[in-house]
Amino acid sequence: MPSMENEGSDVSRAEEIKNQANEAFKAHRYGQAIDLYTQAIELNSQNAVYWANRSLAHTKLEEYGSAIQDATKAIEVDPKYSKGYYRRGAAYLAMGKFKEALKDFQQVKRICPNDPDATKKLKECEKAVMKLKFEEAISVPESERRSVADSIDYRTIKVEPQYLGSKIEGDVVTLDFVKKMMDDFKNQKCLHKRYAFQIVLQMREMLQALPSLVDINVPDGSLLTVCGDVHGQFYDLINIFELNGLPSEENPYLFNGDFVDRGSFSVEVILTLFAFKCMCPSAIYLARGNHESKSMNKIYGFEGEVRSKLSETFVELFAEVFCYLPLAHVINQKVFVVHGGLFSVDGVKLSDIRAIDRFCEPPEEGLMCELLWSDPQPYPGRGPSKRGVGLSFGADVTRRFLQDNNLDLVVRSHEVKDEGYEIEHDGKLITVFSAPNYCDQMGNKGAFIRFEAPDLKPNIVTFSAVPHPDVKPMAYANNFLRMFQ
């Protein structure tokens, strides 16, 4: 039996470590904070505060599955600890699970009936659930749904004489147009709806014709640049083009999903990427990320931003076009590029990915879900996802997938990294993330990878964030979520 003295010293040591963890948290070093809270928990697992604090740090890293587990543990340790319910409610909310969040906020209100903050959050959550129920009630079944594109004829939209922004002459998107549009965006000017419709509708047709897995051929001596998440950080996207050249047939890019949400210049990012694709289809390849989906866009700002800068019709149109984005790419039959990661079963072949019917919102399980949501883990085998969707997979899973498909390397995105990238799984897996100082607070670098054929050795370039106009990340996000920022 441990002596009383030992127990006492463990408790006070745990408290010291918790204070260090709190300092790391305040400095936005969330990974370090999690490690320290873990040490505190190992010394004293009966303190609900440690679990709730670690839950919040997981939330900051978008590890909502782990956040929910820790908050649940805090509640088990102390069923009257309101912050346990509060943290769990916030994590459910971030996953779009409004009904589960509502139950937790009702519990917070029961424990703290006079807390004005709890009252306000509960009201907002009730509104969100009511809205959801209403939308479910009026929604048209998938089988009866008509494409919103059928109701749009952009040619009939008049361009007012006072509009001085960029214009598409006729049907062809030119480099001059794209450059002028990007300049206008830099100066926070909008693109006329007529031309925005023209670009997105042209994009829809182009993407619809592509397979779910796209093969990219890079000729010997030529380059392909792979970028990770951009997340609405338009000014950092412009910086990538300044560092590495504009997309063209000779300088092609692959953007690996999560173009939108969180950053408040998502409309500018998506129209720029789409316009380059319209200008020259082989200049830019685009993959779907987990944020190219209705449920994420509703919460993390893209839907609100589109409403504000364009119109309600565009909300529907983008949702539809996002369903047409390919799910993965293979470069020269050697490098597999996907937004999230690998699978819950062995033996998945490239032909299985090609065969996925991707024209839908991402399901909550199966190959498509795992491609968009999974993450690597440092130990072998498979584990539950820290996000609560998809799974974690080890180096052995990566190795088998590469062997089964005669590939050399997996490149994925989906996770913020301090240096903008991370090489894992014995050098067989690289994460690349291209949104520096993510959400204006993570302090990370961004990165992109240049692959030159024939050897396709990854040449990683890192870069820092550049200034942007004073519009905060999540400025257009769901009201309710903004309360937790």
Side-chain angles (χ1 to χ4, degrees):
M1 289 252 319
S3 71
M4 294 291 280
E5 204 176 301
N6 277 356
E7 270 184 33
S9 71
D10 279 355
V11 167
S12 59
R13 179 78 188 114
E15 197 59 18
E16 276 171 37
I17 294 171
K18 180 213 63 175
N19 292 335
Q20 290 168 24
N22 289 353
E23 289 307 311
F25 184 93
K26 280 182 207 152
H28 304 310
R29 296 196 302 273
Y30 302 119
Q32 188 189 351
I34 287 168
D35 292 342
L36 289 164
Y37 288 131
T38 303
Q39 289 173 38
I41 286 165
E42 281 162 1
L43 290 167
N44 178 14
S45 62
Q46 292 309 298
N47 189 321
V49 174
Y50 303 168
W51 293 101
N53 285 10
R54 192 172 75 174
S55 171
L56 182 60
H58 279 302
T59 295
K60 289 291 185 183
L61 290 178
E62 301 175 24
E63 297 169 353
Y64 303 123
S66 299
I68 287 165
Q69 281 177 338
D70 278 356
T72 302
K73 193 72 193 166
I75 292 162
E76 283 169 17
V77 170
D78 181 358
K80 291 197 161 55
Y81 182 52
S82 64
K83 268 199 180 148
Y85 298 100
Y86 189 94
R87 298 279 181 253
R88 190 170 67 182
Y92 275 135
L93 176 66
M95 292 177 74
K97 297 192 169 183
F98 292 112
K99 290 169 190 168
E100 289 88 341
L102 181 60
K103 285 181 195 157
D104 279 333
F105 289 120
Q106 285 167 337
Q107 193 59 33
V108 173
K109 182 80 171 110
R110 274 186 212 111
I111 297 168
C112 316
N114 302 319
D115 181 340
D117 188 53
T119 307
K120 188 176 165 195
K121 287 196 169 70
L122 178 60
K123 275 198 180 122
E124 281 294 331
C125 198
E126 284 167 346
K127 271 201 302 208
V129 171
M130 288 298 290
K131 188 166 181 262
L132 203 66
K133 283 182 177 162
F134 177 70
E135 283 169 1
E136 281 170 7
I138 62 164
S139 68
V140 179
E142 202 67 50
S143 55
E144 294 168 30
R145 209 165 284 171
R146 287 185 59 216
S147 165
V148 66
D150 296 343
S151 65
I152 303 161
D153 180 0
Y154 69 84
R155 288 181 177 85
T156 63
I157 299 170
K158 292 268 187 294
V159 179
E160 305 78 11
Q162 62 268 35
Y163 173 72
L164 300 173
S166 41
K167 296 177 180 177
I168 302 171
E169 304 299 340
D171 293 335
V172 181
V173 173
T174 63
L175 181 57
D176 284 345
F177 163 78
V178 183
K179 282 179 172 171
K180 166 95 169 92
M181 180 183 76
M182 290 193 316
D183 272 343
D184 288 348
F185 285 163
K186 263 194 257 186
N187 297 313
Q188 292 185 276
K189 293 177 184 162
C190 291
L191 179 66
H192 197 282
K193 289 189 182 69
R194 177 195 163 108
Y195 306 119
F197 272 130
Q198 189 169 345
I199 289 165
V200 182
L201 290 168
Q202 204 170 320
M203 196 68 204
R204 177 181 175 273
E205 252 173 74
M206 210 178 283
L207 292 174
Q208 208 170 1
L210 293 175
S212 290
L213 173 71
V214 173
D215 288 289
I216 302 175
N217 179 44
V218 183
D220 287 2
S222 296
L223 283 164
L224 173 78
T225 301
V226 178
C227 296
D229 306 33
V230 180
H231 273 304
Q233 296 186 197
F234 175 72
Y235 294 82
D236 294 306
L237 173 67
I238 295 294
N239 187 39
I240 292 171
F241 294 152
E242 282 172 7
L243 295 170
N244 193 59
L246 291 174
S248 67
E249 205 151 2
E250 298 71 43
N251 188 35
Y253 283 77
L254 163 53
F255 281 87
N256 196 27
D258 282 13
F259 321 122
V260 301
D261 277 341
R262 295 205 176 265
S264 295
F265 304 95
S266 294
V267 165
E268 290 81 354
V269 166
I270 199 70
L271 288 175
T272 299
L273 297 178
F274 279 9
F276 272 117
K277 183 85 177 160
C278 292
M279 178 195 88
C280 175
S282 58
I284 199 162
Y285 298 88
L286 302 170
R288 192 173 194 175
N290 62 307
H291 275 266
E292 278 69 56
S293 75
K294 251 188 219 172
S295 59
M296 293 289 111
N297 298 162
K298 209 178 266 309
I299 302 171
Y300 290 101
F302 183 59
E303 191 177 292
E305 188 183 336
V306 170
R307 246 185 223 113
S308 169
K309 292 178 183 175
L310 292 164
S311 71
E312 186 65 48
T313 308
F314 274 98
V315 171
E316 281 182 68
L317 186 59
F318 276 118
E320 188 178 310
V321 174
F322 286 166
C323 292
Y324 295 175
L325 286 161
L327 302 175
H329 291 78
V330 174
I331 308 167
N332 288 10
Q333 301 174 341
K334 286 296 166 202
V335 180
F336 180 70
V337 188
V338 66
H339 180 71
L342 299 180
F343 310 102
S344 53
V345 291
D346 285 331
V348 174
K349 292 290 208 291
L350 295 182
S351 54
D352 298 318
I353 299 168
R354 274 193 194 94
I356 294 171
D357 179 6
R358 71 182 188 278
F359 300 103
C360 59
E361 287 302 315
E364 290 198 9
E365 56 186 17
L367 296 188
M368 181 170 165
C369 168
E370 289 160 6
L371 284 163
L372 298 179
W373 279 95
S374 294
D375 295 291
Q377 64 182 24
Y379 29 88
R382 295 176 170 91
S385 163
K386 54 197 175 188
R387 297 172 190 272
V389 190
L391 69 140
S392 299
F393 60 95
D396 53 331
V397 175
T398 300
R399 192 173 56 249
R400 276 197 298 271
F401 174 76
L402 292 172
Q403 282 167 353
D404 287 349
N405 291 286
N406 194 25
L407 296 161
D408 295 341
L409 179 69
V410 173
V411 173
R412 43 88 62 180
S413 304
H414 195 39
E415 279 181 290
V416 63
K417 298 290 177 187
D418 287 346
E419 291 304 312
Y421 72 97
E422 188 173 2
I423 301 170
E424 296 168 88
H425 294 182
D426 311 313
K428 294 292 184 190
L429 181 141
I430 305 177
T431 297
V432 60
F433 192 85
S434 304
N437 194 25
Y438 179 46
C439 289
D440 285 0
Q441 61 162 305
M442 298 298 275
N444 60 295
K445 286 189 173 136
F448 52 81
I449 310 176
R450 291 159 63 92
F451 288 100
E452 187 172 355
D455 65 355
L456 297 185
K457 206 164 80 46
N459 173 18
I460 300 170
V461 178
T462 66
F463 57 96
S464 297
V466 295
H468 63 76
D470 187 22
V471 184
K472 299 283 180 278
M474 307 278 281
Y476 301 93
N478 180 297
N479 256 347
F480 190 21
L481 198 68
R482 278 213 304 277
M483 293 180 161
F484 293 88
Q485 290 309 299

